[in-house]
Amino acid sequence: MERDIEWHRSLAHMAIVTPEPQWHVYRMITEIPTAADFQAAGLNQIYLAWQIAIQTTQEYDRARESALDLEEEEITAAGKAYWLKSQPILANAFGLVQQAMEMSLKGRIAAISPYLLISRDPKDWPSKVDTTPIPFSDFRTLDAADLVKVHNTFSDNPLDDQFKAFWDGVRRDRNKVMHSVTVHEFNPSIIVRTILQAVETLFSDVKWPLRLIKMEEDGKYAAYGLGEYYEHNIVMGQIETALSYLEPSEKKRFFSFDSKRRAYVCPGCWYSANRDYQEEWPALAQLTSKSSNCGEIHCILCDQDFAVERSDCMNPDCKGNVLHEGTCLTCHSEQDSPYNFRSDLEKKPSKETVEYSFWWKRFAQTVADRSHFIDEESAVEHARQAMSAPHLLSWECVTIRMQPLGALELRSTVVGTWLREG
């Protein structure tokens, strides 16, 4: 009995240590792209198309602003010439949008099975494919016209007829451009609208403004640290430009931006941006409701909400009443700024008036303001009234200087200083 037990134990040990058979899968098709590969390629192409369209538009706006010596008719003629010469690059941008959509559609099909992308009969496949490894790129893939049909045949989430009509239209227009010598009239609104329609369906996993910020952060200069902290500045300008070329319904559709309501500077975007050289800021945030006492705004760029105070701006030239942490989100002036003070003693520049400067100081901060007065007493009284204004109580003192006509600041004459005690 003991010998039998020992024999069975030996058999059990042999069963445990016996190696499992090894199976190897030998693929004849190599370098098979993934859905992520196609999507990344499409995203890069549509981003390039966006950059081309926005840059061409912004350069046009700057050219118009610089044409100070031209008459209105000359400016109109110059604008027509500008867009005519811009047609080739805008056509390239449109072609990139079509290619981006094609890559994204192929990615959706590849997510089901990359082999669905292979077209033609097996007799037309690369030679020796059944005996020799062949890269996927050597196969002829589906024509663009068949992508939506194949996708909808196998996908649990088919694309609707509206997108199919849009895709067919883009594809036909692109073919006309590529296979004809006739100049197709492209304008920024066509390119921007087409990009946003494509993004709406094929690249909607991340909101487009947030996507743009990420793409700027990972741009070609990122490795050198160039352009750092300018991502928000760039994208704010791009979204502002895009909005200016969209219809009100399109602004609402693509950005949830209501053209009938006031817009404000987003405090979050302003804080994230580089503020060294930029003074004017796009208004991309709106109140979250139409209520007169609504205390929250939402930004279409950073997609964040911010609490606001509903109070009239201290700037006499501003009619805004939406504030955030002491800053007006309409004129973007600080509420405790001396620039916001006016008095009846100030006069328009003339031969009878003298310019005075007012140097305000609190802690380590110093700011200067200028205005014209009829005499020295008026300038002194103006400064006294300013020091008594409720929104300027944090300032410690103000020094009044008379500024001789055409003289440098160093040659100005000190009239006196109002100093706050207690």
Side-chain angles (χ1 to χ4, degrees):
M1 177 65 70
E2 292 180 358
R3 297 176 72 182
D4 290 341
I5 293 175
E6 188 63 31
W7 181 73
H8 283 293
R9 285 176 178 173
S10 299
L11 287 178
H13 177 70
M14 291 174 63
I16 294 174
V17 299
T18 299
E20 293 289 335
Q22 299 296 313
W23 300 96
H24 298 280
V25 177
Y26 185 67
R27 293 185 182 274
M28 291 302 175
I29 302 178
T30 62
E31 301 177 16
I32 300 175
T34 65
D37 294 331
F38 281 114
Q39 190 73 358
L43 184 58
N44 287 331
Q45 289 171 331
I46 205 164
Y47 175 61
L48 179 56
W50 172 269
Q51 286 183 309
I52 292 173
I54 296 299
Q55 181 178 347
T56 305
T57 304
Q58 291 178 338
E59 289 175 351
Y60 167 73
D61 293 337
R62 285 193 289 267
R64 282 181 58 88
E65 293 174 358
S66 302
L68 302 177
D69 298 332
L70 298 181
E71 300 293 336
E72 190 64 32
E73 295 181 357
E74 294 176 315
I75 293 177
T76 301
K80 292 181 179 179
Y82 178 93
W83 290 119
L84 180 61
K85 294 182 179 181
S86 299
Q87 290 308 301
I89 192 171
L90 291 177
N92 286 339
F94 190 84
L96 284 169
V97 178
Q98 189 273 335
Q99 293 176 33
M101 295 174 68
E102 183 176 336
M103 288 294 103
S104 181
L105 289 171
K106 287 183 176 180
R108 288 178 171 232
I109 295 173
I112 302 169
S113 173
Y115 302 112
L116 291 173
L117 292 170
I118 297 177
S119 67
R120 295 192 175 185
D121 295 330
K123 63 184 177 60
D124 297 321
W125 290 353
S127 61
K128 300 182 179 179
V129 66
D130 53 338
T131 59
T132 305
I134 301 294
F136 185 90
S137 58
D138 285 0
F139 287 82
R140 174 73 180 269
T141 56
L142 294 174
D143 291 335
D146 298 325
L147 291 174
V148 173
K149 181 178 181 180
V150 172
H151 174 272
N152 286 0
T153 301
F154 296 96
S155 175
D156 294 332
N157 298 298
L159 298 163
D160 58 26
D161 291 340
Q162 183 178 2
F163 175 83
K164 183 180 178 180
F166 167 63
W167 163 242
D168 289 340
V170 171
R171 187 172 51 80
R172 285 194 302 268
D173 288 343
R174 186 259 182 185
N175 289 339
K176 290 179 183 178
V177 173
M178 296 300 294
H179 304 295
S180 173
V181 294
T182 303
V183 177
H184 191 96
E185 292 189 13
F186 285 108
N187 60 58
S189 61
I190 293 176
I191 307 296
V192 170
R193 186 184 305 114
T194 304
I195 290 173
L196 294 175
Q197 281 185 263
V199 167
E200 184 179 48
T201 301
L202 300 177
F203 303 95
S204 59
D205 54 316
V206 177
K207 289 191 175 182
W208 185 240
L210 295 177
R211 175 93 71 185
L212 291 174
I213 292 176
K214 180 61 177 175
M215 297 292 278
E216 285 292 336
E217 289 176 348
D218 298 336
K220 58 187 177 182
Y221 298 115
Y224 296 95
L226 302 176
E228 192 174 5
Y229 306 122
Y230 281 95
E231 296 86 8
H232 262 80
N233 303 64
I234 294 171
V235 178
M236 288 171 77
Q238 290 179 346
I239 298 299
E240 182 184 40
T241 298
L243 288 173
S244 67
Y245 282 89
L246 294 176
E247 297 295 330
S249 59
E250 295 169 338
K251 297 177 185 179
K252 186 74 172 179
R253 172 183 173 181
F254 298 126
F255 294 108
S256 300
F257 188 89
D258 191 345
S259 299
K260 298 180 180 180
R261 299 170 61 187
R262 291 184 179 180
Y264 305 93
V265 177
C266 171
C269 291
W270 179 84
Y271 181 81
S272 300
N274 189 305
R275 303 181 294 278
D276 292 341
Y277 305 104
Q278 187 166 334
E279 295 181 356
E280 297 183 0
W281 300 92
L284 302 176
Q286 295 183 306
L287 293 167
T288 55
S289 76
K290 296 181 180 180
S291 172
S292 59
N293 60 352
C294 177
E296 190 175 63
I297 61 171
H298 178 80
C299 176
I300 65 171
L301 175 55
C302 66
D303 197 31
Q304 296 187 64
D305 296 331
F306 298 90
V308 294
E309 175 189 352
R310 303 303 301 274
S311 180
D312 291 339
C313 177
M314 297 303 299
N315 182 354
D317 301 324
C318 177
K319 296 182 180 180
N321 63 352
V322 178
L323 314 177
H324 177 78
E325 296 183 353
T327 299
C328 175
L329 300 183
T330 300
C331 68
H332 214 257
S333 65
E334 297 179 358
Q335 296 302 283
D336 60 353
S337 170
Y339 301 131
N340 292 334
F341 181 79
R342 300 286 188 274
S343 75
D344 296 335
L345 300 169
E346 295 176 277
K347 304 294 181 181
K348 293 183 179 179
S350 67
K351 295 180 180 180
E352 289 76 27
T353 62
V354 180
E355 184 179 38
Y356 290 83
S357 62
F358 302 87
W359 292 77
W360 294 81
K361 182 179 180 181
R362 61 180 174 190
F363 306 108
Q365 182 183 10
T366 301
V367 299
D369 191 15
R370 295 190 179 197
S371 193
H372 285 75
F373 299 89
I374 198 70
D375 53 31
E376 182 178 300
E377 288 75 16
S378 299
V380 171
E381 176 59 18
H382 169 84
R384 188 195 68 79
Q385 292 181 17
M387 285 286 284
S388 302
H391 69 287
L392 299 180
L393 294 179
S394 62
W395 293 91
E396 301 169 359
C397 64
V398 56
T399 298
I400 310 159
R401 295 174 178 267
M402 184 180 69
Q403 192 71 28
L405 185 63
L408 298 175
E409 194 65 52
L410 295 175
R411 297 183 59 187
S412 61
T413 302
V414 177
V415 175
T417 298
W418 283 109
L419 178 66
R420 191 185 308 282
E421 293 185 357

